[in-house]
Amino acid sequence: MILTVTLNTALDITYRVPALTPHASHRVSEVRERPGGKGLNVARVLSALGHESVVTGFAGGPTGAVLRDLLAPLAPRDALVPVAGTTRRTIAVVDDASGDTTQLNEPGPIVTPEEWATFLTSYDSLLRGAGAVALCGSLPPGIHVGAYAELIRRARGAGVPVLLDTSGEPLRRGIAARPDLVKPNADELAQLTGSREPLRATRDARRRGAHTVVASLGPDGLLAATADGVWQATPPAPVKGNPTGAGDSAVAGLLSGLVEQLPWPDLLARAVALSAATVLAPAAGEFDAAAYEDLLPLIAVTELAAAA
């Protein structure tokens, strides 16, 4: 079983409009609602790849009830912890004319110390059956900034490999707790290291504590600094569509590859192909299966150095 943690779950709402124009009214051509938050997206992709997955984190209020209702018929098992506050919504507006997406993210509910303690008890129990764990996304109000570092230490104490996908100070604190893998994007990596040169920044991030750093470079694919070498995996061409959830699908590819013990080139190719196939899908947490199969053999993986 692969456990995904989404402390700040969301009800993802995607609107499609013919063209998005500032200061104008718009007729929405399509609306989709999905259970969201980075870890829930990761779990849904893992399930589609054939891996048993369990989601935990927090859910509350009327929005949280809708999220859990939408999650119920899906493959990931719901182990979310109830809170008194209301789960946030995220709004994605897809502009059909340009292919661009505008994202609006609410902050999330305030989590009390008692609710956090309840979550930790549940988390420790879930770790006992986990083959890997992913810690994903932002922290809701009320959760201390070192929360991911605490969860990493607990996972490592239980002997469970752990992946961290967050940003800002939670990333800085978390990476010092020595996760097995971190997956920042280019902006998050630059904020962490102060460098915009991807290879230098990725190696610097690894020296800060992570065993492996896989940086998301957008249309340029993934750059991985590992104990065994440095690789870059690149799609054959940029794809247009809704990029929401593309990074989460990459995380699912990385996690599934780690559990299956794939060699790094194969693992990175899977992650990039899944990410690109997600851009072509209608909503986060989904990927175009046919496009994924077509793209996978076309991903170029180049070894940049023998060791990081």
Side-chain angles (χ1 to χ4, degrees):
M1 176 268 282
I2 299 177
L3 176 65
T4 72
V5 175
T6 311
L7 297 178
N8 209 6
T9 58
L11 178 63
D12 284 347
I13 304 170
T14 302
Y15 295 129
R16 299 193 76 93
V17 297
L20 184 61
T21 305
H23 316 300
S25 296
H26 296 79
R27 187 174 297 277
V28 176
S29 60
E30 183 184 19
V31 181
R32 285 176 174 262
E33 287 188 336
R34 292 288 186 274
K38 294 177 74 65
L40 271 70
N41 294 336
V42 171
R44 291 175 61 201
V45 174
L46 285 169
S47 296
L49 293 171
H51 286 271
E52 179 189 0
S53 59
V54 175
V55 297
T56 190
F58 299 106
T63 309
V66 173
L67 182 152
R68 299 187 84 162
D69 286 345
L70 292 171
L71 183 61
L74 303 178
R77 179 162 68 86
D78 178 356
L80 296 169
V81 174
V83 291
T86 298
T87 296
R88 65 187 179 134
R89 296 165 297 178
T90 63
I91 312 296
V93 183
V94 181
D95 181 335
D96 286 334
S98 67
D100 292 335
T101 300
T102 299
Q103 191 82 16
L104 303 172
N105 297 330
E106 296 179 355
I110 296 175
V111 177
T112 67
E114 293 77 18
E115 290 165 341
W116 176 243
T118 299
F119 168 79
L120 289 177
T121 300
S122 175
Y123 176 73
D124 288 343
S125 176
L126 290 166
L127 283 175
R128 290 195 284 271
V133 59
L135 310 175
C136 304
S138 62
L139 299 178
I143 297 294
H144 64 94
V145 74
Y148 281 136
E150 180 177 358
L151 298 184
I152 290 165
R153 287 191 291 268
R154 286 172 180 256
R156 290 180 58 79
V160 179
V162 57
L163 181 153
L164 177 64
D165 182 14
T166 189
S167 61
E169 191 61 23
L171 173 61
R172 191 180 305 277
R173 299 279 187 96
I175 204 170
R178 301 188 62 78
D180 294 271
L181 196 156
V182 296
K183 194 214 70 65
N185 63 32
D187 289 339
E188 292 161 354
L189 190 62
Q191 184 182 18
L192 175 69
T193 66
S195 174
R196 285 256 169 210
E197 200 288 305
L199 182 56
R200 178 184 301 168
T202 304
R203 283 174 154 169
D204 182 12
R206 186 167 179 267
R207 284 192 291 270
R208 292 168 185 256
H211 291 272
T212 296
V213 177
V214 179
S216 176
L217 306 179
D220 293 325
L222 297 175
L223 178 65
T226 81
D228 302 317
V230 179
W231 288 272
Q232 182 163 0
T234 310
V239 293
K240 278 199 169 185
N242 181 4
T244 307
D248 305 331
S249 290
V251 169
L254 294 171
L255 269 177
S256 62
L258 285 174
V259 170
E260 295 170 29
Q261 298 183 326
L262 294 181
W264 279 107
D266 294 345
L267 187 154
L268 294 169
R270 174 185 290 183
V272 170
L274 280 171
S275 181
T278 296
V279 175
L280 300 171
E286 302 173 3
F287 63 93
D288 185 317
Y292 167 66
E293 295 295 339
D294 290 342
L295 283 164
L296 187 57
L298 303 178
I299 304 301
V301 183
T302 305
E303 187 172 9
L304 304 181

